[in-house]
Amino acid sequence: MWRMRRRTRTICLSLASITVFLHLLLALASLSVNRAPCDPPPPPETLSPRDEARTRRRHTPAGIIGPVGPPAEAARGDSSGVDANAEAKGRARTAPASISGAEPLESALSKLEALFDHPLYNMPSPPVPEEDWLLKVRPKIKAAELSSQIWVSASQEGYEDVQWNSSSSSHPPWLRFHLGVSRWQLYPHRDPNMEALTQQLATSRIVSAVQKSGGTQLKLVMSFPNYGQAMFKPMKQERDDETNYNLYYFSDFERHNAEIAAFHLDRILGYRRVPPVVGRLVDVVKEIKDITTDRKLAQTFFTSPVGSVCFYGQCSYYCSTEHAVCGRPRALEASLAVMLPDLSLATRRSWRSPWRRSYSRSKLAKWETQSDYCSSVKKTSPYNKGTRLVDFIDMVILDFLMSNMDRHHYETFEKFGNNTFMLHLDNGRGFGRHSKDEPSILAPLEQCCRIRHSTWLRLRLLSLPQYRLSDAMRASLSRDPLGGGGAAPLLSERHLAALDRRLETVLEAVSRCQRRQSEDGGDEVIFDDTAYLKDMVAPAG
């Protein structure tokens, strides 16, 4: 018994010792863990550009700033969202100073203002002759005709009950824009009406939405209470989605942000031949479905499996349920371009581009196989006299900078005959690729070796560090309602960098032409339209 008690006591002591030892080990382990550095926090979740667009800051041309959030019903999956324009209201948020190492926005805005203050953009010009205005207001109205000369709204629901007379102060912004179109430009450089016009496009209530006939892709005509109208092109893919290399140029979707960026680029180049365009967030239900009188369009609305409201309309190629346009769940990004004067007032003529592509997957166009193709074009009307050829080269440079291969036709106002500017319309297939340039777009410049002097001077100016094209575009696009805040820019930094790269390619092409023409004794490369501005810009580089 005594031996058993002794053995039991030994076992108990041993177990107690082991227990104490284990507790000490656990305490040491805990101390070592507490001394170890903390794990870094997980990286923030990466959002797609469209998801970012729902939370980015939004501002109108007049400077209204606020965050854009998803509709309140998004969390519930309810399709009855709130008005997309009301989502833009809220407290202001400070934008980052730079994007991906880009120049701060304040500096870029200063460059843009300095650029537009440059003499090249403010060249003195004589008064516009009466016959060079596209539209006119009758100066004298007989008393008997007075009632028929006042614009009075019909009893259409949603339109304003307003009266317009011959005084420009009574005209809405879109009418002032129409009356400001002249033989050589759509609007003047310092147009006092531009802010009011873009404000209307961005914020005015939409009272009607019908599908625009023609074309291969969906587009709508939006009407406002003051009878103004705009061309609506919806967002069909993410802003930063690059075109698949295996797609042909005629197979890509049109991009709403390309329409917006083309207007800003055209203005920075000093052309002013693209109608004003702004970005806008619309409510698919309240601003399209509920107000449309287009029965065919109304029949194409449906709700997707995730509760988004979608529609697809009717058109040649991309109007089907597989290519439907969908809100998130109702908010939809789009571009709105001010409509040109009605064809009954200002007829336009459509011209087939001499450098039109074959639109065949196997056949090449003549200009792609004939090195002297331009010589025959120069002998053909309207390219054999006047400024039509250098006007065409202007459009070619615009297309090359934004990589638009889809310029098969262009238009002019018939009233001015052949002696007028070319309209730069339908730019939705631009800015599809930033990683690849398309040299074939520059074929007219390379083959004809002709460029307007004022265009050449402005291109050289935009290649200088103090006026760099990418900085001017970044600043200009930041003023668009969809481009503010920096969270989801309308053009990525890669697209902006591509603009600078392509600009250098254009300048090099002109230099090669000058060397070739001097050696061969050919025609002058520079079409001298600004003889008194030769020394205005220092050589680039």
Side-chain angles (χ1 to χ4, degrees):
M1 292 292 294
W2 179 79
R3 288 180 180 175
M4 288 181 64
R5 285 197 209 99
R6 187 175 180 180
R7 187 177 301 170
T8 301
R9 189 186 307 160
T10 303
I11 293 173
C12 289
L13 289 172
S14 300
L15 290 174
S17 300
I18 293 172
T19 301
V20 171
F21 179 76
L22 290 175
H23 278 293
L24 289 173
L25 283 178
L26 288 173
L28 290 172
S30 299
L31 288 173
S32 64
V33 169
N34 289 335
R35 290 191 186 117
C38 296
D39 293 330
E45 182 182 357
T46 302
L47 300 177
S48 68
R50 181 175 287 186
D51 291 332
E52 289 178 331
R54 290 193 278 161
T55 57
R56 68 182 175 276
R57 186 181 70 172
R58 181 169 178 246
H59 68 85
T60 68
I64 300 172
I65 302 174
V68 177
E73 287 74 11
R76 304 195 301 266
D78 191 345
S79 61
S80 58
V82 295
D83 188 339
N85 291 324
E87 298 170 14
K89 299 177 181 178
R91 62 182 181 275
R93 190 176 71 186
T94 303
S98 61
I99 307 169
S100 304
E103 182 172 347
L105 183 57
E106 292 78 8
S107 177
L109 286 168
S110 298
K111 285 186 177 182
L112 180 65
E113 290 305 317
L115 177 73
F116 285 160
D117 285 339
H118 195 278
L120 277 174
Y121 291 81
N122 297 275
M123 293 184 291
S125 57
V128 179
E130 192 67 23
E131 63 273 13
D132 280 0
W133 294 109
L134 180 65
L135 301 175
K136 301 177 184 178
V137 177
R138 292 181 62 177
K140 295 181 180 180
I141 303 174
K142 297 179 181 179
E145 300 175 345
L146 184 61
S147 60
S148 63
Q149 296 299 321
I150 298 179
W151 295 46
V152 182
S153 66
S155 58
Q156 299 183 40
E157 184 179 354
Y159 288 89
E160 295 175 351
D161 185 12
V162 294
Q163 294 185 351
W164 309 326
N165 52 42
S166 59
S167 172
S168 61
S169 61
S170 70
H171 298 160
W174 65 266
L175 183 55
R176 290 199 294 269
F177 168 69
H178 287 181
L179 292 172
V181 178
S182 64
R183 181 183 295 273
W184 299 113
Q185 60 185 7
L186 281 174
Y187 56 92
H189 172 54
R190 296 290 189 183
D191 186 1
N193 183 51
M194 187 58 65
E195 182 176 356
L197 181 61
T198 53
Q199 176 80 2
Q200 172 186 297
L201 294 173
T203 63
S204 186
R205 181 167 53 91
I206 299 171
V207 297
S208 173
V210 296
Q211 186 166 349
K212 179 75 167 60
S213 61
T216 62
Q217 302 196 29
L218 176 68
K219 51 186 178 290
L220 308 179
V221 175
M222 302 298 210
S223 298
F224 304 115
N226 62 6
Y227 298 91
Q229 290 186 322
M231 181 75 75
F232 169 98
K233 290 191 177 181
M235 180 178 188
K236 301 203 73 170
Q237 55 192 339
E238 304 295 345
R239 296 183 191 178
D240 293 334
D241 283 352
E242 192 169 24
T243 302
N244 189 309
Y245 289 106
N246 291 315
L247 286 181
Y248 287 91
Y249 48 88
F250 48 82
S251 301
D252 194 17
F253 287 128
E254 292 186 352
R255 299 168 182 267
H256 73 300
N257 61 320
E259 293 285 359
I260 302 168
F263 161 63
H264 289 262
L265 179 59
D266 176 88
R267 182 166 171 256
I268 288 171
L269 292 174
Y271 297 159
R272 297 185 291 280
R273 301 165 197 168
V274 174
V277 186
V278 302
R280 178 164 174 168
L281 204 62
V282 301
D283 187 308
V284 175
V285 176
K286 288 186 177 182
E287 297 180 298
I288 303 178
K289 182 181 179 182
D290 288 351
I291 62 174
T292 185
T293 56
D294 188 331
R295 293 184 179 180
K296 292 182 179 180
L297 175 65
Q299 292 172 354
T300 66
F301 281 85
F302 65 94
T303 301
S304 75
V306 296
S308 299
V309 182
C310 309
F311 65 102
Y312 53 87
Q314 295 186 7
C315 57
S316 302
Y317 294 99
Y318 297 106
C319 290
S320 62
T321 52
E322 306 94 84
H323 300 104
V325 175
C326 297
R328 289 282 184 95
R330 287 168 50 159
L332 174 66
E333 279 191 22
S335 66
L336 271 78
V338 65
M339 296 286 284
L340 294 172
D342 190 84
L343 294 176
S344 62
L345 298 174
T347 308
R348 300 196 299 271
R349 179 174 177 179
S350 179
W351 302 79
R352 180 177 174 134
S353 168
W355 279 267
R356 181 182 185 271
R357 297 176 185 274
S358 67
Y359 286 83
S360 168
R361 293 177 175 84
S362 57
K363 185 180 178 181
L364 295 177
K366 287 184 178 180
W367 60 267
E368 295 179 278
T369 58
Q370 299 177 7
S371 58
D372 60 343
Y373 177 79
C374 186
S375 60
S376 61
V377 173
K378 287 180 178 179
K379 299 174 184 177
T380 307
S381 178
Y383 306 98
N384 58 345
K385 59 183 178 180
T387 62
R388 181 59 61 87
L389 182 60
V390 289
D391 287 338
F392 188 87
I393 299 299
D394 281 347
M395 186 173 64
V396 164
I397 292 170
L398 173 72
D399 285 337
F400 177 73
L401 291 174
M402 62 184 183
S403 196
N404 176 26
M405 302 173 65
D406 192 39
R407 189 74 68 183
H408 45 81
H409 285 80
Y410 63 87
E411 295 183 15
T412 60
F413 288 110
E414 198 168 84
K415 173 183 177 178
F416 301 129
N418 296 338
N419 193 27
T420 185
F421 72 101
M422 297 160 52
L423 290 162
H424 299 166
L425 307 176
D426 294 331
N427 304 293
R429 285 205 171 110
F431 296 103
R433 292 174 183 160
H434 52 70
S435 57
K436 181 181 182 297
D437 301 339
E438 183 51 57
S440 64
I441 301 175
L442 276 185
L445 174 60
E446 298 272 11
Q447 294 175 1
C448 298
C449 278
R450 198 79 165 140
I451 187 172
R452 190 191 299 271
H453 193 197
S454 58
T455 299
W456 180 62
L457 289 175
R458 282 193 293 267
L459 293 177
R460 294 169 67 198
L461 188 71
L462 290 165
S463 69
L464 300 176
Q466 62 267 37
Y467 302 107
R468 186 176 289 112
L469 175 57
S470 59
D471 294 334
M473 276 292 288
R474 184 185 301 107
S476 189
L477 290 172
S478 72
R479 294 174 171 174
D480 185 84
L482 294 182
L490 283 164
L491 285 183
S492 70
E493 287 300 319
R494 292 181 178 180
H495 277 297
L496 295 176
L499 286 173
D500 292 333
R501 181 180 71 239
R502 292 166 185 165
L503 176 57
E504 289 301 319
T505 301
V506 174
L507 293 175
E508 290 169 2
V510 175
S511 296
R512 285 196 300 272
C513 280
Q514 290 176 316
R515 291 194 297 269
R516 189 169 70 215
Q517 299 295 67
S518 63
E519 294 172 358
D520 299 343
D523 297 333
E524 288 290 332
V525 174
I526 307 299
F527 177 83
D528 196 358
D529 64 335
T530 56
Y532 55 94
L533 294 173
K534 287 182 178 179
D535 301 323
M536 191 167 285
V537 183

